[in-house]
Amino acid sequence: MTSPLRHLTEAGLLGKFYIDGEWRKPIGSVAAAASVVNPATEQSIAEVTLGDDDDVDCAIAAARRAFAGWSTTPPAERAALLDRVHGLLLQRLELFAQVLTFEMGAAITYARRAQVPLAAEHIRVARDNLANYPFVTPRDSTAIMREAIGVCGLITPWNWPLYQITAKVGPALAAGCTVVLKPSELSPLSALLFAEVMDDAACPPGVFNLVNGTGPIVGARLASHPQVDMISITGSTRAGVLVAQAAAPTVKRVAQELGGKSPNIFLPDADLRRAVPLGVGAAFRNLGQSCSAPTRMLVPRSHMKEVETLAAAAASELVVGDPLAESTTHGPIANRPQFERVQTMIGVGLEEGAKLVIGGPGRPSDLKIGFYARPTIFSNVHRDMRIAQEEIFGPVLAIIPYDTVDDAIAIANDTVYGLGAHVQGTDMETVRKVARQIQSGQVHLNHPDWDPNAPFGGYKRSGNGREYGREGMEEYLETKAVLGFYR
Protein backbone atom coordinates (compact mmCIF):
# COMPACT_ATOMS: atom_id res chain seq x y z
CA MET A 1 0.00 0.00 0.00
CA THR A 2 1.20 3.51 -0.82
CA SER A 3 2.15 5.58 2.23
CA PRO A 4 -0.61 8.06 3.08
CA LEU A 5 1.93 10.89 3.11
CA ARG A 6 3.17 9.93 -0.34
CA HIS A 7 -0.42 9.58 -1.53
CA LEU A 8 -1.35 13.06 -0.30
CA THR A 9 1.79 14.56 -1.83
CA GLU A 10 1.47 12.89 -5.21
CA ALA A 11 -2.23 13.79 -5.39
CA GLY A 12 -1.33 17.40 -4.67
CA LEU A 13 -3.88 17.70 -1.88
CA LEU A 14 -1.71 19.28 0.82
CA GLY A 15 -1.88 22.76 -0.68
CA LYS A 16 -5.54 22.69 -1.68
CA PHE A 17 -9.07 22.92 -0.36
CA TYR A 18 -12.11 20.98 -1.54
CA ILE A 19 -14.76 23.46 -2.68
CA ASP A 20 -17.74 23.03 -5.01
CA GLY A 21 -16.68 19.55 -6.09
CA GLU A 22 -13.12 20.55 -6.98
CA TRP A 23 -9.67 20.66 -5.42
CA ARG A 24 -8.70 24.33 -5.45
CA LYS A 25 -5.71 26.37 -4.46
CA PRO A 26 -6.37 29.12 -1.91
CA ILE A 27 -7.77 32.35 -3.25
CA GLY A 28 -7.22 34.30 -0.04
CA SER A 29 -4.86 37.22 0.10
CA VAL A 30 -2.94 35.90 3.10
CA ALA A 31 -0.80 32.86 2.29
CA ALA A 32 -0.12 30.72 5.34
CA ALA A 33 0.82 27.15 6.09
CA ALA A 34 0.92 24.87 9.11
CA SER A 35 3.37 22.08 9.78
CA VAL A 36 1.93 18.72 10.70
CA VAL A 37 4.19 17.21 13.35
CA ASN A 38 4.50 13.50 13.98
CA PRO A 39 4.24 13.33 17.80
CA ALA A 40 6.33 10.16 17.92
CA THR A 41 9.35 11.84 16.32
CA GLU A 42 8.65 15.54 16.95
CA GLN A 43 9.45 16.09 13.27
CA SER A 44 7.36 17.86 10.65
CA ILE A 45 5.95 15.38 8.15
CA ALA A 46 3.85 17.67 5.96
CA GLU A 47 2.64 21.22 5.46
CA VAL A 48 -0.95 22.14 4.78
CA THR A 49 -2.19 25.43 3.43
CA LEU A 50 -4.37 27.51 5.74
CA GLY A 51 -7.31 29.47 4.44
CA ASP A 52 -8.64 32.92 5.25
CA ASP A 53 -11.96 34.76 4.99
CA ASP A 54 -11.97 34.74 1.18
CA ASP A 55 -11.57 30.96 1.04
CA VAL A 56 -14.31 30.47 3.63
CA ASP A 57 -16.64 32.81 1.74
CA CYS A 58 -16.06 30.84 -1.45
CA ALA A 59 -16.89 27.55 0.28
CA ILE A 60 -19.99 28.98 1.94
CA ALA A 61 -21.22 30.35 -1.39
CA ALA A 62 -20.80 26.89 -2.95
CA ALA A 63 -22.70 25.29 -0.08
CA ARG A 64 -25.48 27.89 -0.36
CA ARG A 65 -25.88 27.26 -4.10
CA ALA A 66 -26.07 23.51 -3.54
CA PHE A 67 -28.51 23.64 -0.65
CA ALA A 68 -31.77 24.05 -2.57
CA GLY A 69 -31.10 20.99 -4.70
CA TRP A 70 -29.61 18.76 -2.00
CA SER A 71 -32.28 19.50 0.61
CA THR A 72 -35.01 18.40 -1.80
CA THR A 73 -33.17 15.31 -3.01
CA PRO A 74 -35.12 12.13 -2.18
CA PRO A 75 -33.86 10.50 1.04
CA ALA A 76 -33.00 7.35 -0.88
CA GLU A 77 -30.56 9.33 -3.01
CA ARG A 78 -28.93 10.90 0.02
CA ALA A 79 -28.70 7.46 1.63
CA ALA A 80 -27.04 6.09 -1.50
CA LEU A 81 -24.27 8.69 -1.21
CA LEU A 82 -23.72 7.79 2.44
CA ASP A 83 -23.61 4.12 1.50
CA ARG A 84 -20.84 4.81 -1.01
CA VAL A 85 -18.92 6.86 1.55
CA HIS A 86 -19.25 4.08 4.11
CA GLY A 87 -17.92 1.51 1.69
CA LEU A 88 -14.94 3.64 0.69
CA LEU A 89 -14.01 4.29 4.32
CA LEU A 90 -13.88 0.58 5.00
CA GLN A 91 -11.95 -0.09 1.78
CA ARG A 92 -9.36 2.51 2.79
CA LEU A 93 -9.22 1.56 6.47
CA GLU A 94 -5.49 0.93 6.47
CA LEU A 95 -4.72 4.20 4.69
CA PHE A 96 -6.73 6.14 7.27
CA ALA A 97 -5.27 4.18 10.18
CA GLN A 98 -1.73 4.97 9.10
CA VAL A 99 -2.38 8.67 8.57
CA LEU A 100 -3.98 8.92 12.03
CA THR A 101 -0.88 7.32 13.51
CA PHE A 102 1.36 9.81 11.74
CA GLU A 103 -0.66 12.94 12.47
CA MET A 104 -1.82 12.40 16.06
CA GLY A 105 0.04 9.39 17.40
CA ALA A 106 -2.75 6.83 17.69
CA ALA A 107 -1.34 3.34 18.11
CA ILE A 108 -1.79 1.62 14.76
CA THR A 109 -3.69 -1.27 16.34
CA TYR A 110 -6.08 1.17 18.01
CA ALA A 111 -6.52 3.18 14.82
CA ARG A 112 -7.41 -0.02 12.98
CA ARG A 113 -9.89 -1.35 15.51
CA ALA A 114 -11.42 1.88 16.82
CA GLN A 115 -10.56 5.23 15.25
CA VAL A 116 -11.45 4.23 11.68
CA PRO A 117 -14.18 1.55 12.10
CA LEU A 118 -16.12 3.63 14.62
CA ALA A 119 -15.89 6.62 12.27
CA ALA A 120 -17.39 4.50 9.51
CA GLU A 121 -20.19 3.50 11.89
CA HIS A 122 -21.35 7.11 12.12
CA ILE A 123 -21.88 7.13 8.35
CA ARG A 124 -23.69 3.78 8.46
CA VAL A 125 -25.99 4.95 11.27
CA ALA A 126 -26.77 8.18 9.43
CA ARG A 127 -27.60 6.18 6.31
CA ASP A 128 -29.85 3.76 8.17
CA ASN A 129 -31.64 6.43 10.21
CA LEU A 130 -32.30 8.43 7.06
CA ALA A 131 -33.90 5.42 5.38
CA ASN A 132 -36.82 5.31 7.80
CA TYR A 133 -37.00 8.81 9.27
CA PRO A 134 -40.51 10.41 9.23
CA PHE A 135 -39.82 13.88 7.83
CA VAL A 136 -43.59 14.61 7.80
CA THR A 137 -45.93 13.37 10.55
CA PRO A 138 -49.62 14.15 11.21
CA ARG A 139 -50.91 15.70 14.43
CA ASP A 140 -54.66 16.03 14.08
CA SER A 141 -55.07 18.31 11.03
CA THR A 142 -51.53 19.73 11.35
CA ALA A 143 -48.50 18.42 9.50
CA ILE A 144 -45.27 18.47 11.50
CA MET A 145 -42.48 18.81 8.97
CA ARG A 146 -38.76 18.42 9.67
CA GLU A 147 -36.64 20.28 7.14
CA ALA A 148 -32.90 20.74 6.67
CA ILE A 149 -31.67 23.80 8.55
CA GLY A 150 -29.37 24.99 5.76
CA VAL A 151 -25.62 25.54 5.40
CA CYS A 152 -23.67 24.14 8.34
CA GLY A 153 -20.17 24.98 9.49
CA LEU A 154 -18.50 21.97 11.10
CA ILE A 155 -15.48 22.45 13.36
CA THR A 156 -13.70 19.27 14.44
CA PRO A 157 -10.87 18.51 16.91
CA TRP A 158 -7.46 16.86 16.77
CA ASN A 159 -8.02 13.96 19.20
CA TRP A 160 -10.51 11.88 17.18
CA PRO A 161 -10.03 13.53 13.77
CA LEU A 162 -11.89 11.20 11.41
CA TYR A 163 -14.41 10.02 14.01
CA GLN A 164 -15.64 13.53 14.74
CA ILE A 165 -15.79 14.44 11.07
CA THR A 166 -18.11 11.55 10.27
CA ALA A 167 -20.16 12.18 13.44
CA LYS A 168 -21.07 15.58 11.97
CA VAL A 169 -20.93 15.13 8.19
CA GLY A 170 -23.02 11.94 8.15
CA PRO A 171 -26.13 13.26 9.93
CA ALA A 172 -25.84 16.72 8.36
CA LEU A 173 -25.91 15.30 4.84
CA ALA A 174 -28.62 12.83 5.81
CA ALA A 175 -30.78 15.71 7.01
CA GLY A 176 -30.36 17.48 3.67
CA CYS A 177 -27.89 20.13 4.79
CA THR A 178 -24.78 21.24 2.95
CA VAL A 179 -21.56 21.68 4.89
CA VAL A 180 -18.24 23.47 5.17
CA LEU A 181 -15.76 21.51 7.26
CA LYS A 182 -12.89 23.05 9.20
CA PRO A 183 -10.75 20.27 10.69
CA SER A 184 -8.10 20.91 13.30
CA GLU A 185 -4.93 22.34 11.79
CA LEU A 186 -3.02 20.02 14.14
CA SER A 187 -4.37 16.84 12.53
CA PRO A 188 -5.72 17.78 9.09
CA LEU A 189 -4.39 14.95 6.93
CA SER A 190 -7.20 12.50 7.62
CA ALA A 191 -9.66 15.25 6.69
CA LEU A 192 -8.02 15.62 3.29
CA LEU A 193 -8.32 11.87 2.76
CA PHE A 194 -11.97 12.08 3.80
CA ALA A 195 -12.58 14.86 1.27
CA GLU A 196 -11.06 12.57 -1.35
CA VAL A 197 -13.54 9.89 -0.30
CA MET A 198 -16.41 12.35 -0.72
CA ASP A 199 -15.16 13.22 -4.20
CA ASP A 200 -14.72 9.57 -5.19
CA ALA A 201 -18.22 8.83 -3.86
CA ALA A 202 -19.63 11.34 -6.39
CA CYS A 203 -20.84 13.84 -3.84
CA PRO A 204 -22.70 16.60 -5.73
CA PRO A 205 -20.71 19.85 -6.05
CA GLY A 206 -21.08 22.18 -3.09
CA VAL A 207 -22.71 19.65 -0.77
CA PHE A 208 -19.44 18.95 1.06
CA ASN A 209 -16.64 21.51 1.25
CA LEU A 210 -13.38 21.62 3.22
CA VAL A 211 -11.22 24.59 4.15
CA ASN A 212 -8.20 24.07 6.37
CA GLY A 213 -7.35 26.84 8.78
CA THR A 214 -7.14 28.07 12.33
CA GLY A 215 -9.97 28.68 14.75
CA PRO A 216 -9.41 32.43 15.05
CA ILE A 217 -9.60 32.87 11.27
CA VAL A 218 -11.52 30.09 9.50
CA GLY A 219 -13.51 29.01 12.55
CA ALA A 220 -14.46 32.55 13.46
CA ARG A 221 -15.53 33.35 9.90
CA LEU A 222 -17.76 30.28 9.76
CA ALA A 223 -19.32 31.14 13.11
CA SER A 224 -20.06 34.76 12.26
CA HIS A 225 -21.04 34.42 8.59
CA PRO A 226 -24.68 35.39 7.92
CA GLN A 227 -25.05 32.69 5.25
CA VAL A 228 -24.19 29.90 7.68
CA ASP A 229 -27.32 28.61 9.41
CA MET A 230 -25.72 26.36 11.99
CA ILE A 231 -22.37 25.70 13.64
CA SER A 232 -21.41 22.38 15.16
CA ILE A 233 -18.16 22.37 17.13
CA THR A 234 -16.31 19.73 19.06
CA GLY A 235 -13.49 21.18 21.11
CA SER A 236 -12.56 22.79 24.37
CA THR A 237 -15.11 24.69 26.43
CA ARG A 238 -13.11 27.85 25.78
CA ALA A 239 -13.35 27.33 22.01
CA GLY A 240 -17.06 26.59 22.28
CA VAL A 241 -17.68 29.85 24.12
CA LEU A 242 -15.81 31.84 21.48
CA VAL A 243 -17.77 30.20 18.67
CA ALA A 244 -21.08 30.85 20.42
CA GLN A 245 -20.16 34.51 20.93
CA ALA A 246 -19.22 34.90 17.26
CA ALA A 247 -22.45 33.20 16.18
CA ALA A 248 -24.76 35.20 18.45
CA PRO A 249 -25.29 38.28 16.22
CA THR A 250 -26.70 36.12 13.41
CA VAL A 251 -28.81 34.01 15.82
CA LYS A 252 -27.70 30.77 14.20
CA ARG A 253 -28.02 27.42 15.89
CA VAL A 254 -24.88 26.34 17.76
CA ALA A 255 -24.31 22.73 18.78
CA GLN A 256 -21.35 22.23 21.11
CA GLU A 257 -19.63 19.07 22.29
CA LEU A 258 -17.02 20.41 24.70
CA GLY A 259 -14.98 19.45 27.75
CA GLY A 260 -15.58 16.83 30.39
CA LYS A 261 -14.41 15.42 33.71
CA SER A 262 -16.39 12.23 33.82
CA PRO A 263 -16.93 10.27 37.05
CA ASN A 264 -16.81 6.49 37.39
CA ILE A 265 -18.72 5.49 40.54
CA PHE A 266 -17.86 2.13 42.08
CA LEU A 267 -20.77 1.13 44.31
CA PRO A 268 -19.96 -0.95 47.39
CA ASP A 269 -21.04 -4.19 45.67
CA ALA A 270 -19.08 -3.59 42.44
CA ASP A 271 -17.02 -6.47 41.03
CA LEU A 272 -13.66 -4.74 41.47
CA ARG A 273 -11.57 -7.34 39.67
CA ARG A 274 -13.60 -6.78 36.53
CA ALA A 275 -14.49 -3.11 36.89
CA VAL A 276 -11.16 -1.58 37.90
CA PRO A 277 -9.13 -2.77 34.87
CA LEU A 278 -11.98 -1.76 32.58
CA GLY A 279 -12.16 1.62 34.32
CA VAL A 280 -8.44 2.22 33.84
CA GLY A 281 -8.77 1.19 30.20
CA ALA A 282 -11.67 3.58 29.67
CA ALA A 283 -9.87 6.47 31.37
CA PHE A 284 -6.76 5.91 29.25
CA ARG A 285 -8.59 5.18 25.98
CA ASN A 286 -6.90 7.17 23.21
CA LEU A 287 -4.27 8.00 25.88
CA GLY A 288 -6.88 9.89 27.87
CA GLN A 289 -7.45 12.30 24.99
CA SER A 290 -11.21 11.86 25.01
CA CYS A 291 -13.60 14.46 26.37
CA SER A 292 -15.80 11.78 27.96
CA ALA A 293 -12.95 9.75 29.50
CA PRO A 294 -13.91 8.65 33.06
CA THR A 295 -10.87 10.17 34.75
CA ARG A 296 -12.43 10.44 38.23
CA MET A 297 -12.76 7.01 39.87
CA LEU A 298 -15.04 7.29 42.92
CA VAL A 299 -14.43 4.44 45.35
CA PRO A 300 -15.79 3.48 48.81
CA ARG A 301 -13.16 4.49 51.34
CA SER A 302 -12.93 0.93 52.66
CA HIS A 303 -12.04 -0.38 49.18
CA MET A 304 -9.29 2.13 48.39
CA LYS A 305 -6.30 -0.14 48.96
CA GLU A 306 -7.65 -2.94 46.78
CA VAL A 307 -8.60 -0.51 44.02
CA GLU A 308 -5.13 1.08 44.08
CA THR A 309 -3.52 -2.34 43.68
CA LEU A 310 -5.81 -3.37 40.83
CA ALA A 311 -5.49 -0.01 39.08
CA ALA A 312 -1.70 -0.04 39.27
CA ALA A 313 -1.61 -3.56 37.86
CA ALA A 314 -3.88 -2.56 34.98
CA ALA A 315 -1.83 0.52 34.16
CA SER A 316 1.41 -1.47 34.23
CA GLU A 317 0.05 -3.65 31.43
CA LEU A 318 -0.14 -0.70 29.04
CA VAL A 319 2.60 -0.54 26.44
CA VAL A 320 3.56 3.05 25.61
CA GLY A 321 5.86 3.34 22.62
CA ASP A 322 6.23 3.54 18.86
CA PRO A 323 2.66 3.83 17.58
CA LEU A 324 3.54 1.82 14.46
CA ALA A 325 4.63 -1.20 16.52
CA GLU A 326 2.02 -3.95 16.75
CA SER A 327 2.79 -4.48 20.45
CA THR A 328 2.11 -0.84 21.37
CA THR A 329 -1.19 -0.13 23.08
CA HIS A 330 -0.70 3.62 23.54
CA GLY A 331 1.35 6.03 21.47
CA PRO A 332 2.38 9.61 22.24
CA ILE A 333 0.27 12.59 23.24
CA ALA A 334 -0.96 14.15 20.00
CA ASN A 335 0.93 17.46 20.10
CA ARG A 336 3.44 19.46 22.12
CA PRO A 337 1.03 21.90 23.81
CA GLN A 338 -1.07 19.01 25.09
CA PHE A 339 2.01 17.09 26.23
CA GLU A 340 3.11 20.12 28.22
CA ARG A 341 -0.37 20.50 29.69
CA VAL A 342 -0.33 16.88 30.87
CA GLN A 343 3.11 17.28 32.43
CA THR A 344 2.00 20.45 34.19
CA MET A 345 -1.07 18.79 35.67
CA ILE A 346 0.89 15.76 36.89
CA GLY A 347 3.12 18.23 38.71
CA VAL A 348 0.04 19.93 40.13
CA GLY A 349 -1.21 16.61 41.49
CA LEU A 350 2.08 16.05 43.28
CA GLU A 351 2.05 19.60 44.67
CA GLU A 352 -1.52 19.17 45.90
CA GLY A 353 -0.47 16.17 47.97
CA ALA A 354 -2.29 13.42 46.11
CA LYS A 355 -0.84 9.93 46.51
CA LEU A 356 1.06 8.84 43.40
CA VAL A 357 0.12 5.20 42.73
CA ILE A 358 1.94 4.75 39.42
CA GLY A 359 3.49 6.91 36.72
CA GLY A 360 4.53 10.49 37.30
CA PRO A 361 6.14 13.28 35.30
CA GLY A 362 8.34 12.85 32.25
CA ARG A 363 8.52 10.26 29.51
CA PRO A 364 8.78 6.53 30.12
CA SER A 365 12.45 5.82 30.85
CA ASP A 366 13.11 4.03 27.55
CA LEU A 367 11.77 6.85 25.37
CA LYS A 368 13.93 9.91 24.77
CA ILE A 369 12.11 11.55 21.85
CA GLY A 370 8.41 12.05 21.25
CA PHE A 371 5.50 13.40 23.25
CA TYR A 372 5.21 10.27 25.36
CA ALA A 373 3.59 10.48 28.79
CA ARG A 374 3.62 7.95 31.61
CA PRO A 375 0.17 6.56 32.47
CA THR A 376 -0.35 8.16 35.87
CA ILE A 377 -2.75 7.32 38.69
CA PHE A 378 -3.27 9.45 41.79
CA SER A 379 -5.16 8.29 44.86
CA ASN A 380 -6.52 9.98 47.99
CA VAL A 381 -7.61 12.83 45.74
CA HIS A 382 -9.90 15.42 47.31
CA ARG A 383 -12.86 16.66 45.29
CA ASP A 384 -11.61 20.26 45.31
CA MET A 385 -8.10 19.50 43.97
CA ARG A 386 -7.33 20.82 40.50
CA ILE A 387 -6.68 17.31 39.24
CA ALA A 388 -10.25 16.45 40.33
CA GLN A 389 -11.83 19.52 38.74
CA GLU A 390 -9.88 20.40 35.59
CA GLU A 391 -9.90 18.49 32.34
CA ILE A 392 -6.35 17.21 31.81
CA PHE A 393 -6.89 15.39 28.51
CA GLY A 394 -4.17 12.84 29.02
CA PRO A 395 -3.40 9.56 30.82
CA VAL A 396 -4.04 10.85 34.35
CA LEU A 397 -6.59 9.14 36.61
CA ALA A 398 -7.75 10.47 40.00
CA ILE A 399 -9.08 7.99 42.56
CA ILE A 400 -11.40 9.77 45.00
CA PRO A 401 -12.74 8.13 48.18
CA TYR A 402 -16.34 8.48 49.34
CA ASP A 403 -18.25 7.43 52.46
CA THR A 404 -21.87 7.00 51.31
CA VAL A 405 -23.59 6.55 47.95
CA ASP A 406 -25.20 9.96 48.34
CA ASP A 407 -21.70 11.36 48.89
CA ALA A 408 -20.53 9.66 45.69
CA ILE A 409 -23.38 11.19 43.70
CA ALA A 410 -22.61 14.63 45.11
CA ILE A 411 -18.92 14.29 44.19
CA ALA A 412 -19.84 13.05 40.71
CA ASN A 413 -22.00 16.13 40.13
CA ASP A 414 -19.49 18.52 41.72
CA THR A 415 -18.09 19.70 38.39
CA VAL A 416 -18.82 22.33 35.77
CA TYR A 417 -18.96 19.51 33.23
CA GLY A 418 -21.56 16.86 32.43
CA LEU A 419 -20.61 14.90 29.34
CA GLY A 420 -20.18 11.27 30.40
CA ALA A 421 -20.38 9.11 33.52
CA HIS A 422 -20.03 5.48 34.56
CA VAL A 423 -21.59 3.43 37.36
CA GLN A 424 -20.38 -0.01 38.49
CA GLY A 425 -22.43 -2.32 40.71
CA THR A 426 -24.12 -5.70 41.02
CA ASP A 427 -27.57 -4.61 42.22
CA MET A 428 -29.00 -3.18 39.03
CA GLU A 429 -31.87 -1.44 40.78
CA THR A 430 -29.34 0.63 42.74
CA VAL A 431 -27.12 1.12 39.68
CA ARG A 432 -30.06 2.52 37.71
CA LYS A 433 -31.14 4.70 40.63
CA VAL A 434 -27.67 6.25 40.84
CA ALA A 435 -27.53 6.75 37.06
CA ARG A 436 -30.73 8.78 37.15
CA GLN A 437 -29.19 11.20 39.64
CA ILE A 438 -26.03 11.97 37.68
CA GLN A 439 -26.06 15.21 35.71
CA SER A 440 -24.57 13.94 32.48
CA GLY A 441 -25.55 13.45 28.86
CA GLN A 442 -24.48 9.80 28.84
CA VAL A 443 -24.17 7.26 31.65
CA HIS A 444 -22.57 3.83 31.11
CA LEU A 445 -23.61 1.01 33.44
CA ASN A 446 -21.07 -1.77 34.07
CA HIS A 447 -19.06 -0.98 30.93
CA PRO A 448 -21.57 -1.81 28.16
CA ASP A 449 -20.66 -2.05 24.49
CA TRP A 450 -20.44 1.21 22.54
CA ASP A 451 -23.78 2.12 20.96
CA PRO A 452 -23.51 4.36 17.88
CA ASN A 453 -27.24 5.09 18.15
CA ALA A 454 -27.01 6.40 21.72
CA PRO A 455 -27.19 10.23 21.65
CA PHE A 456 -24.05 11.91 22.94
CA GLY A 457 -23.71 15.40 24.35
CA GLY A 458 -23.34 17.42 27.49
CA TYR A 459 -25.00 19.06 30.43
CA LYS A 460 -23.65 22.32 31.87
CA ARG A 461 -20.33 23.49 30.35
CA SER A 462 -19.92 20.31 28.37
CA GLY A 463 -22.08 21.89 25.70
CA ASN A 464 -25.54 21.61 24.21
CA GLY A 465 -27.14 19.60 21.48
CA ARG A 466 -26.58 15.93 20.72
CA GLU A 467 -24.60 13.85 18.28
CA TYR A 468 -24.94 10.20 17.17
CA GLY A 469 -28.09 8.31 16.32
CA ARG A 470 -31.44 9.78 15.43
CA GLU A 471 -31.00 12.75 17.77
CA GLY A 472 -27.74 13.60 16.01
CA MET A 473 -29.55 13.97 12.69
CA GLU A 474 -32.35 15.99 14.29
CA GLU A 475 -29.83 18.66 15.34
CA TYR A 476 -29.61 19.57 11.65
CA LEU A 477 -33.39 19.84 11.15
CA GLU A 478 -35.84 22.68 11.67
CA THR A 479 -39.44 22.01 12.72
CA LYS A 480 -42.29 23.46 10.68
CA ALA A 481 -45.94 23.15 11.64
CA VAL A 482 -48.42 23.44 8.75
CA LEU A 483 -51.91 23.86 10.21
CA GLY A 484 -54.90 22.62 8.24
CA PHE A 485 -52.69 20.42 6.08
CA TYR A 486 -54.87 17.31 6.52
CA ARG A 487 -58.31 18.90 6.10
Side-chain angles (χ1 to χ4, degrees):
M1 187 195 77
T2 302
S3 159
L5 300 177
R6 181 178 177 182
H7 174 84
L8 288 164
T9 301
E10 291 181 348
L13 305 186
L14 294 174
K16 295 179 180 178
F17 307 137
Y18 188 75
I19 298 174
D20 208 14
E22 298 177 348
W23 289 98
R24 299 184 181 183
K25 292 184 177 180
I27 62 171
S29 58
V30 181
S35 291
V36 181
V37 174
N38 182 338
T41 65
E42 303 184 39
Q43 299 297 311
S44 175
I45 56 173
E47 278 200 347
V48 294
T49 301
L50 302 178
D52 65 10
D53 288 0
D54 292 335
D55 300 301
V56 177
D57 291 352
C58 182
I60 292 170
R64 178 56 63 190
R65 287 192 298 271
F67 175 68
W70 181 248
S71 62
T72 56
T73 298
E77 191 171 327
R78 300 202 296 270
L81 171 62
L82 294 171
D83 186 64
R84 296 192 296 272
V85 171
H86 179 253
L88 288 171
L89 286 173
L90 294 180
Q91 287 177 25
R92 300 175 190 181
L93 186 150
E94 183 63 20
L95 186 70
F96 276 103
Q98 288 195 22
V99 83
L100 289 166
T101 297
F102 286 129
E103 73 178 353
M104 55 80 60
I108 188 65
T109 52
Y110 189 70
R112 288 170 180 157
R113 77 170 189 270
Q115 289 262 6
V116 182
L118 299 185
E121 275 293 276
H122 288 312
I123 299 295
R124 181 194 65 79
V125 166
R127 177 200 69 192
D128 292 351
N129 284 330
L130 170 61
N132 56 26
Y133 187 80
F135 286 94
V136 181
T137 56
R139 186 179 299 169
D140 298 325
S141 64
T142 297
I144 307 299
M145 300 181 179
R146 304 303 299 275
E147 299 178 342
I149 194 169
V151 174
C152 299
L154 310 179
I155 301 174
T156 55
W158 49 259
N159 58 320
W160 287 83
L162 180 65
Y163 178 94
Q164 286 299 148
I165 288 172
T166 58
K168 297 181 189 300
V169 171
L173 298 192
C177 296
T178 56
V179 305
V180 179
L181 170 67
K182 189 212 87 68
S184 170
E185 68 274 20
L186 298 176
S187 54
L189 304 182
S190 53
L192 291 170
L193 290 179
F194 180 78
E196 186 178 47
V197 163
M198 295 301 298
D199 189 57
D200 291 346
C203 180
V207 170
F208 170 87
N209 306 273
L210 178 148
V211 178
N212 277 315
T214 65
I217 297 178
V218 172
R221 185 63 172 173
L222 281 173
S224 63
H225 202 288
Q227 290 298 310
V228 172
D229 302 289
M230 174 180 171
I231 287 286
S232 176
I233 176 174
T234 298
S236 68
T237 298
R238 176 181 175 275
V241 168
L242 292 173
V243 164
Q245 290 172 337
T250 52
V251 199
K252 58 172 58 71
R253 183 178 298 175
V254 179
Q256 304 160 308
E257 194 263 278
L258 308 176
K261 192 70 177 178
S262 299
N264 188 357
I265 299 177
F266 286 63
L267 296 175
D269 67 345
D271 180 355
L272 297 181
R273 292 189 175 277
R274 174 183 183 271
V276 173
L278 289 173
V280 171
F284 293 165
R285 181 182 66 250
N286 203 37
L287 208 63
Q289 299 169 123
S290 296
C291 47
S292 61
T295 54
R296 292 185 296 148
M297 188 176 283
L298 280 53
V299 175
R301 196 175 300 276
S302 60
H303 295 355
M304 287 289 287
K305 187 173 181 180
E306 183 179 3
V307 168
E308 289 174 5
T309 300
L310 291 169
S316 68
E317 294 294 318
L318 305 180
V319 180
V320 177
D322 178 5
L324 288 172
E326 298 286 336
S327 60
T328 294
T329 61
H330 293 70
I333 297 291
N335 53 72
R336 183 181 295 279
Q338 191 55 37
F339 172 76
E340 293 174 350
R341 163 72 176 171
V342 170
Q343 296 303 316
T344 295
M345 291 305 294
I346 292 174
V348 166
L350 294 171
E351 293 169 3
E352 290 181 318
K355 177 183 177 182
L356 182 63
V357 175
I358 194 172
R363 299 180 178 89
S365 59
D366 59 332
L367 298 169
K368 307 303 180 185
I369 298 174
F371 305 137
Y372 294 99
R374 301 168 68 190
T376 298
I377 298 176
F378 288 105
S379 187
N380 291 334
V381 176
H382 301 302
R383 63 197 289 179
D384 57 349
M385 287 181 175
R386 287 181 63 190
I387 59 170
Q389 290 292 330
E390 297 183 24
E391 184 177 43
I392 299 173
F393 225 62
V396 182
L397 173 64
I399 303 177
I400 305 172
Y402 71 83
D403 296 307
T404 68
V405 172
D406 286 343
D407 184 33
I409 295 168
I411 294 171
N413 291 332
D414 183 18
T415 172
V416 299
Y417 299 113
L419 189 57
H422 293 240
V423 184
Q424 319 301 326
T426 303
D427 180 0
M428 286 306 298
E429 182 177 350
T430 302
V431 169
R432 295 185 189 104
K433 181 180 178 181
V434 170
R436 291 189 183 99
Q437 298 177 73
I438 297 176
Q439 299 164 357
S440 177
Q442 267 196 1
V443 185
H444 297 235
L445 308 183
N446 293 316
H447 293 287
D449 292 337
W450 178 68
D451 181 358
N453 270 302
F456 179 71
Y459 285 26
K460 300 185 280 189
R461 296 186 195 176
S462 285
N464 55 67
R466 292 296 180 266
E467 295 189 307
Y468 313 171
R470 180 168 173 158
E471 289 79 5
M473 185 173 76
E474 288 176 340
E475 287 293 327
Y476 297 91
L477 295 171
E478 284 282 23
T479 300
K480 177 190 288 183
V482 183
L483 285 70
F485 189 87
Y486 292 108
R487 282 185 176 178

